[in-house]
Protein backbone atom coordinates (compact mmCIF):
# COMPACT_ATOMS: atom_id res chain seq x y z
CA UNK A 1 0.00 0.00 0.00
CA UNK A 2 2.85 2.38 0.81
CA UNK A 3 2.67 5.76 2.52
CA UNK A 4 0.34 7.54 0.14
CA UNK A 5 -0.65 11.17 0.69
CA UNK A 6 -2.90 12.98 -1.72
CA UNK A 7 -1.39 16.41 -2.26
CA UNK A 8 -3.24 19.41 -3.69
CA UNK A 9 -0.92 22.10 -5.04
CA UNK A 10 -3.12 25.20 -4.79
CA UNK A 11 -2.00 27.68 -7.45
CA UNK A 12 -3.22 31.24 -6.96
CA UNK A 13 -3.99 33.79 -9.64
CA UNK A 14 -3.10 37.46 -9.15
CA UNK A 15 -3.59 39.27 -5.84
CA UNK A 16 -4.03 43.06 -6.28
CA UNK A 17 -1.78 45.48 -4.36
CA UNK A 18 -4.65 46.93 -2.32
CA UNK A 19 -6.25 43.56 -1.48
CA UNK A 20 -6.96 43.00 2.21
CA UNK A 21 -6.28 39.62 3.85
CA UNK A 22 -9.98 38.69 4.10
CA UNK A 23 -10.67 38.07 0.38
CA UNK A 24 -7.34 36.25 -0.15
CA UNK A 25 -7.88 34.01 2.88
CA UNK A 26 -11.43 33.31 1.61
CA UNK A 27 -9.99 32.23 -1.77
CA UNK A 28 -7.52 29.98 0.01
CA UNK A 29 -10.21 28.42 2.23
CA UNK A 30 -12.37 27.79 -0.89
CA UNK A 31 -9.42 25.92 -2.45
CA UNK A 32 -8.94 23.94 0.78
CA UNK A 33 -12.61 22.94 0.71
CA UNK A 34 -12.26 21.77 -2.91
CA UNK A 35 -9.11 19.87 -1.93
CA UNK A 36 -10.96 18.10 0.88
CA UNK A 37 -13.68 17.08 -1.59
CA UNK A 38 -11.10 15.24 -3.73
CA UNK A 39 -9.74 13.64 -0.52
CA UNK A 40 -6.45 15.53 -0.45
CA UNK A 41 -4.71 15.52 2.91
CA UNK A 42 -2.13 18.27 2.28
CA UNK A 43 -2.66 21.62 0.51
CA UNK A 44 0.31 23.72 -0.60
CA UNK A 45 0.07 27.44 -1.53
CA UNK A 46 2.61 29.81 -3.18
CA UNK A 47 5.29 32.10 -1.78
CA UNK A 48 3.83 35.28 -0.18
CA UNK A 49 0.38 33.80 -0.76
CA UNK A 50 -1.48 36.32 1.39
CA UNK A 51 -0.53 39.46 -0.56
CA UNK A 52 0.54 40.79 -3.90
CA UNK A 53 4.22 40.14 -4.69
CA UNK A 54 5.20 43.51 -3.19
CA UNK A 55 9.01 43.34 -3.83
CA UNK A 56 8.21 44.59 -7.34
CA UNK A 57 7.70 48.05 -5.82
CA UNK A 58 9.99 50.44 -3.94
CA UNK A 59 8.06 51.15 -0.74
CA UNK A 60 9.61 53.74 1.56
CA UNK A 61 6.82 54.09 4.07
CA UNK A 62 7.24 51.54 6.91
CA UNK A 63 3.54 51.57 7.79
CA UNK A 64 2.64 50.74 4.20
CA UNK A 65 5.31 48.03 4.12
CA UNK A 66 4.02 46.49 7.35
CA UNK A 67 0.67 45.90 5.63
CA UNK A 68 2.37 43.13 3.66
CA UNK A 69 3.68 41.34 6.80
CA UNK A 70 2.26 39.16 9.58
CA UNK A 71 3.35 40.03 13.13
CA UNK A 72 2.13 36.66 14.44
CA UNK A 73 1.28 33.31 12.91
CA UNK A 74 -1.51 32.50 13.25
CA UNK A 75 -2.83 36.02 13.61
CA UNK A 76 -6.38 37.33 13.66
CA UNK A 77 -6.57 37.44 9.85
CA UNK A 78 -4.89 34.08 9.16
CA UNK A 79 -6.73 32.18 11.89
CA UNK A 80 -9.44 31.02 9.38
CA UNK A 81 -6.75 29.04 7.50
CA UNK A 82 -5.84 27.15 10.67
CA UNK A 83 -9.51 26.63 11.55
CA UNK A 84 -10.17 25.26 8.04
CA UNK A 85 -7.19 22.90 8.35
CA UNK A 86 -8.64 21.57 11.62
CA UNK A 87 -12.23 21.38 10.31
CA UNK A 88 -11.23 19.63 7.07
CA UNK A 89 -8.41 17.50 8.55
CA UNK A 90 -5.94 19.01 6.06
CA UNK A 91 -2.24 19.73 6.36
CA UNK A 92 -1.27 23.13 4.99
CA UNK A 93 1.77 25.01 3.72
CA UNK A 94 1.72 28.68 2.67
CA UNK A 95 4.14 31.56 2.21
CA UNK A 96 3.90 34.89 4.06
CA UNK A 97 5.92 37.95 5.00
CA UNK A 98 7.10 37.43 8.58
CA UNK A 99 7.65 40.38 10.91
CA UNK A 100 9.69 38.98 13.80
CA UNK A 101 10.48 40.82 17.01
CA UNK A 102 13.73 39.56 18.50
CA UNK A 103 14.31 41.32 21.82
CA UNK A 104 12.88 44.55 20.45
CA UNK A 105 14.70 44.34 17.08
CA UNK A 106 12.28 44.02 14.17
CA UNK A 107 13.31 41.57 11.45
CA UNK A 108 11.54 40.78 8.21
CA UNK A 109 11.71 37.38 6.52
CA UNK A 110 10.13 35.72 3.50
CA UNK A 111 8.70 32.65 5.26
CA UNK A 112 6.55 29.53 4.84
CA UNK A 113 4.33 27.98 7.49
CA UNK A 114 3.67 24.26 7.87
CA UNK A 115 0.38 23.39 9.59
CA UNK A 116 -0.76 19.94 10.74
CA UNK A 117 -4.09 18.16 10.28
CA UNK A 118 -5.23 19.36 13.71
CA UNK A 119 -4.70 22.99 12.72
CA UNK A 120 -1.53 23.53 14.79
CA UNK A 121 1.67 25.15 13.50
CA UNK A 122 4.30 22.42 12.95
CA UNK A 123 7.06 24.83 12.05
CA UNK A 124 8.17 27.52 9.66
CA UNK A 125 11.04 28.14 7.23
CA UNK A 126 12.74 31.42 6.27
CA UNK A 127 13.92 31.86 2.67
CA UNK A 128 17.71 31.83 2.40
CA UNK A 129 18.37 32.85 -1.22
CA UNK A 130 17.00 36.36 -1.80
CA UNK A 131 17.23 37.42 -5.44
CA UNK A 132 17.24 40.95 -6.79
CA UNK A 133 18.46 44.24 -5.41
CA UNK A 134 18.41 46.52 -2.39
CA UNK A 135 17.94 49.69 -4.47
CA UNK A 136 15.57 50.26 -7.40
CA UNK A 137 17.27 49.80 -10.74
CA UNK A 138 16.87 52.70 -13.20
CA UNK A 139 15.04 51.79 -16.38
CA UNK A 140 13.68 48.45 -15.14
CA UNK A 141 10.05 47.84 -16.04
CA UNK A 142 9.62 45.95 -12.74
CA UNK A 143 11.86 45.97 -9.71
CA UNK A 144 12.82 42.91 -7.69
CA UNK A 145 13.69 44.25 -4.22
CA UNK A 146 13.74 41.19 -1.98
CA UNK A 147 17.15 42.19 -0.58
CA UNK A 148 15.62 45.52 0.50
CA UNK A 149 12.73 44.00 2.41
CA UNK A 150 13.95 40.70 3.84
CA UNK A 151 16.84 39.32 5.82
CA UNK A 152 18.23 36.03 4.62
CA UNK A 153 16.79 33.07 6.56
CA UNK A 154 18.65 32.16 9.74
CA UNK A 155 17.28 28.65 10.32
CA UNK A 156 19.19 26.67 7.70
CA UNK A 157 17.09 24.11 5.85
CA UNK A 158 15.19 22.15 8.51
CA UNK A 159 13.06 19.04 7.99
CA UNK A 160 10.10 17.87 10.03
CA UNK A 161 8.55 14.44 10.60
CA UNK A 162 5.04 15.14 9.36
CA UNK A 163 2.28 13.56 7.28
CA UNK A 164 3.92 10.14 7.65
CA UNK A 165 7.25 11.24 6.12
CA UNK A 166 10.15 13.68 6.27
CA UNK A 167 9.15 17.11 4.98
CA UNK A 168 11.18 20.21 4.09
CA UNK A 169 10.38 23.58 2.53
CA UNK A 170 12.15 25.84 0.04
CA UNK A 171 10.93 29.21 -1.20
CA UNK A 172 11.13 30.25 -4.86
CA UNK A 173 14.74 31.19 -5.70
CA UNK A 174 16.01 28.55 -3.20
CA UNK A 175 14.93 25.92 -5.74
CA UNK A 176 17.68 27.02 -8.15
CA UNK A 177 20.48 26.22 -5.66
CA UNK A 178 21.55 22.58 -5.49
CA UNK A 179 23.03 23.03 -2.01
CA UNK A 180 19.59 23.91 -0.62
CA UNK A 181 18.18 20.65 -1.99
CA UNK A 182 21.23 18.69 -0.86
CA UNK A 183 21.02 19.87 2.75
CA UNK A 184 17.43 18.61 2.76
CA UNK A 185 18.47 15.42 0.95
CA UNK A 186 21.19 14.70 3.51
CA UNK A 187 18.51 14.78 6.21
CA UNK A 188 16.50 12.12 4.37
CA UNK A 189 13.82 14.43 3.00
CA UNK A 190 10.92 12.69 1.23
CA UNK A 191 8.75 15.68 0.33
CA UNK A 192 9.92 19.21 -0.53
CA UNK A 193 7.28 21.97 -0.64
CA UNK A 194 8.18 25.03 -2.74
CA UNK A 195 6.07 28.15 -3.22
CA UNK A 196 7.16 30.66 -5.87
CA UNK A 197 6.55 33.98 -7.66
CA UNK A 198 8.55 33.81 -10.87
CA UNK A 199 8.10 36.70 -13.31
CA UNK A 200 8.11 35.80 -17.00
CA UNK A 201 10.40 38.73 -17.77
CA UNK A 202 13.75 39.49 -16.17
CA UNK A 203 14.86 43.07 -16.99
CA UNK A 204 18.40 42.27 -15.82
CA UNK A 205 18.83 39.54 -18.45
CA UNK A 206 16.04 39.55 -21.04
CA UNK A 207 17.91 36.88 -22.99
CA UNK A 208 16.83 34.40 -20.27
CA UNK A 209 13.12 35.12 -20.78
CA UNK A 210 12.35 32.38 -23.32
CA UNK A 211 13.79 29.81 -20.88
CA UNK A 212 11.86 30.70 -17.71
CA UNK A 213 9.56 27.68 -17.81
CA UNK A 214 12.29 25.31 -18.98
CA UNK A 215 14.67 26.38 -16.19
CA UNK A 216 11.93 26.14 -13.56
CA UNK A 217 11.19 22.57 -14.60
CA UNK A 218 14.90 21.76 -14.91
CA UNK A 219 15.67 22.64 -11.27
CA UNK A 220 12.51 21.06 -9.85
CA UNK A 221 13.03 17.78 -11.71
CA UNK A 222 16.77 17.63 -10.99
CA UNK A 223 16.30 18.58 -7.31
CA UNK A 224 13.70 15.86 -6.81
CA UNK A 225 15.64 13.17 -8.67
CA UNK A 226 19.09 13.87 -7.23
CA UNK A 227 17.70 13.82 -3.70
CA UNK A 228 15.22 10.98 -4.19
CA UNK A 229 12.27 13.04 -3.00
CA UNK A 230 8.80 14.13 -4.01
CA UNK A 231 8.67 17.84 -4.79
CA UNK A 232 5.72 20.19 -5.10
CA UNK A 233 6.16 23.62 -6.72
CA UNK A 234 3.24 26.02 -6.39
CA UNK A 235 2.93 29.25 -8.36
CA UNK A 236 1.34 32.62 -8.29
CA UNK A 237 0.20 32.87 -11.93
CA UNK A 238 -1.47 35.35 -14.25
CA UNK A 239 -0.76 39.04 -14.74
CA UNK A 240 -0.39 40.54 -11.28
CA UNK A 241 -0.43 44.33 -11.23
CA UNK A 242 0.71 44.39 -14.86
CA UNK A 243 3.53 41.87 -14.35
CA UNK A 244 3.13 38.50 -16.10
CA UNK A 245 4.00 35.61 -13.78
CA UNK A 246 4.91 32.01 -14.58
CA UNK A 247 2.18 29.65 -13.48
CA UNK A 248 3.26 26.02 -14.18
CA UNK A 249 2.55 24.54 -10.77
CA UNK A 250 4.11 21.06 -10.66
CA UNK A 251 4.15 17.84 -8.67
CA UNK A 252 7.37 15.89 -9.32
CA UNK A 253 8.09 12.26 -8.38
CA UNK A 254 11.43 11.01 -6.97
CA UNK A 255 12.15 9.69 -10.46
CA UNK A 256 12.24 13.31 -11.65
CA UNK A 257 9.05 12.82 -13.67
CA UNK A 258 6.31 15.46 -13.57
CA UNK A 259 3.15 13.65 -12.48
CA UNK A 260 0.77 16.65 -12.48
CA UNK A 261 0.86 20.29 -13.58
CA UNK A 262 -1.43 23.30 -13.83
CA UNK A 263 -3.37 24.07 -17.00
CA UNK A 264 -4.45 27.64 -16.18
CA UNK A 265 -2.98 30.93 -14.94
CA UNK A 266 -5.42 31.34 -12.05
CA UNK A 267 -6.68 29.68 -8.87
CA UNK A 268 -6.38 25.96 -9.60
CA UNK A 269 -5.82 22.72 -7.73
CA UNK A 270 -3.21 20.32 -9.08
CA UNK A 271 -3.69 16.98 -7.37
CA UNK A 272 -1.61 13.80 -7.20
CA UNK A 273 -1.35 10.73 -5.02
CA UNK A 274 2.21 10.66 -3.74
CA UNK A 275 3.55 7.42 -2.28
CA UNK A 276 6.44 8.41 -0.02
CA UNK A 277 7.73 4.84 -0.22
CA UNK A 278 8.65 5.53 -3.88
CA UNK A 279 11.58 7.54 -2.51
CA UNK A 280 13.10 4.31 -1.19
CA UNK A 281 13.75 2.79 -4.57
CA UNK A 282 16.14 5.72 -5.26
CA UNK A 283 17.44 6.25 -1.70
CA UNK A 284 18.56 2.61 -1.51
CA UNK A 285 20.09 2.32 -5.00
CA UNK A 286 21.53 5.04 -7.23
CA UNK A 287 21.22 7.73 -4.51
CA UNK A 288 22.21 5.62 -1.50
CA UNK A 289 24.24 8.48 -0.04
CA UNK A 290 26.00 6.35 2.62
CA UNK A 291 27.20 3.89 -0.02
CA UNK A 292 28.09 6.19 -2.91
CA UNK A 293 28.74 9.80 -1.85
CA UNK A 294 32.40 10.83 -1.54
CA UNK A 295 32.57 13.83 0.83
CA UNK A 296 36.35 13.31 1.36
CA UNK A 297 36.90 13.99 -2.33
CA UNK A 298 34.65 17.07 -2.29
CA UNK A 299 36.72 18.76 0.45
CA UNK A 300 39.84 18.37 -1.73
CA UNK A 301 38.00 20.16 -4.51
CA UNK A 302 37.02 23.08 -2.29
CA UNK A 303 40.68 23.48 -1.25
CA UNK A 304 41.51 24.33 -4.88
CA UNK A 305 40.50 27.96 -4.63
CA UNK A 306 43.41 29.48 -6.56
CA UNK A 307 43.65 30.25 -10.24
CA UNK A 308 44.09 27.44 -12.73
CA UNK A 309 47.87 26.79 -12.89
CA UNK A 310 49.58 27.71 -16.15
CA UNK A 311 50.05 24.78 -18.55
N1 LIG B 1 10.52 35.22 -5.91
C1 LIG B 1 11.66 34.78 -6.46
O1 LIG B 1 12.55 34.32 -5.77
N2 LIG B 1 11.77 34.90 -7.81
C2 LIG B 1 12.96 34.54 -8.53
C3 LIG B 1 13.13 35.38 -9.78
C4 LIG B 1 13.36 36.80 -9.46
C5 LIG B 1 14.27 34.87 -10.64
C6 LIG B 1 12.96 33.08 -8.93
O2 LIG B 1 13.99 32.42 -8.71
O3 LIG B 1 11.99 32.59 -9.51
Amino acid sequence: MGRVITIAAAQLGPVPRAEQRGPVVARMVALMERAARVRATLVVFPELALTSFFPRWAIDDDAELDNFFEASMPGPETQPLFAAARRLGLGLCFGYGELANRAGRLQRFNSSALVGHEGGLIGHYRKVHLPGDREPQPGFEYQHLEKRYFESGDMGFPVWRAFGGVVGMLICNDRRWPEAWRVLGLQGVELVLVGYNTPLRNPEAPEHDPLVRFQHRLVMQAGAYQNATWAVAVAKGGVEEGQPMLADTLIVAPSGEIVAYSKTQGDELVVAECDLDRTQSYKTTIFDFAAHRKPQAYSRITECTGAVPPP
Side-chain angles (χ1 to χ4, degrees), residues 6-237:
T6 302
I7 299 179
Q11 178 174 287
L12 289 175
V15 176
R17 180 172 182 160
E19 193 74 291
Q20 301 297 303
R21 294 295 184 282
V24 185
V25 167
R27 272 165 71 184
M28 293 169 71
V29 169
L31 284 163
M32 290 170 71
E33 286 170 345
R34 279 173 47 198
R37 285 199 287 277
V38 295
R39 300 194 187 287
T41 50
L42 174 60
V43 183
V44 187
F45 288 101
E47 175 190 34
L48 296 174
L50 302 168
T51 64
S52 203
F53 188 72
F54 62 90
R56 69 167 67 88
W57 298 296
I59 300 168
D60 293 323
D61 178 45
D62 270 1
E64 187 188 356
L65 185 60
D66 283 349
N67 284 333
F68 293 102
F69 284 81
E70 315 303 315
S72 59
M73 188 53 69
E77 292 169 313
T78 49
Q79 187 59 53
L81 294 170
F82 290 71
R86 188 164 46 247
R87 174 168 57 85
L88 300 167
L90 283 173
L92 184 62
C93 173
F94 63 93
Y96 65 101
E98 179 192 356
L99 186 63
N101 187 333
R102 185 173 287 166
R105 184 168 94 81
L106 288 183
Q107 292 181 288
R108 292 188 171 92
F109 297 100
N110 185 341
S111 299
S112 275
L114 191 64
V115 179
H117 296 145
E118 302 80 22
L121 189 66
I122 295 173
H124 77 295
Y125 164 69
R126 292 171 171 163
K127 181 175 182 176
V128 169
H129 299 98
L130 300 174
D133 307 292
R134 212 170 293 281
E135 297 304 326
Q137 299 301 297
F140 279 14
E141 192 182 1
Y142 308 102
Q143 302 296 330
H144 196 104
L145 300 173
E146 286 198 57
K147 286 189 171 64
R148 183 186 187 95
Y149 299 128
F150 303 118
E151 293 182 36
S152 185
D154 56 0
M155 303 173 137
F157 298 97
V159 297
W160 290 268
R161 289 207 170 274
F163 314 121
V166 181
V167 181
M169 295 183 274
L170 298 176
I171 301 179
C172 197
N173 194 260
D174 284 328
R175 75 196 190 285
R176 303 186 193 275
W177 299 89
E179 50 271 58
W181 288 93
R182 188 56 110 209
V183 174
L184 294 175
L186 288 170
Q187 298 172 88
V189 78
E190 296 175 307
L191 175 61
V192 179
L193 309 176
V194 189
Y196 62 97
N197 282 271
T198 297
L200 281 175
R201 292 205 286 272
N202 175 2
E204 191 183 25
E207 67 276 18
H208 301 174
D209 291 354
L211 300 173
V212 171
R213 181 168 172 274
F214 165 75
Q215 289 168 343
H216 156 63
R217 290 188 168 208
L218 180 70
V219 293
M220 286 305 304
Q221 293 182 256
Y225 171 63
Q226 293 175 334
N227 294 284
T229 180
W230 286 92
V232 181
V234 191
K236 190 90 84 58

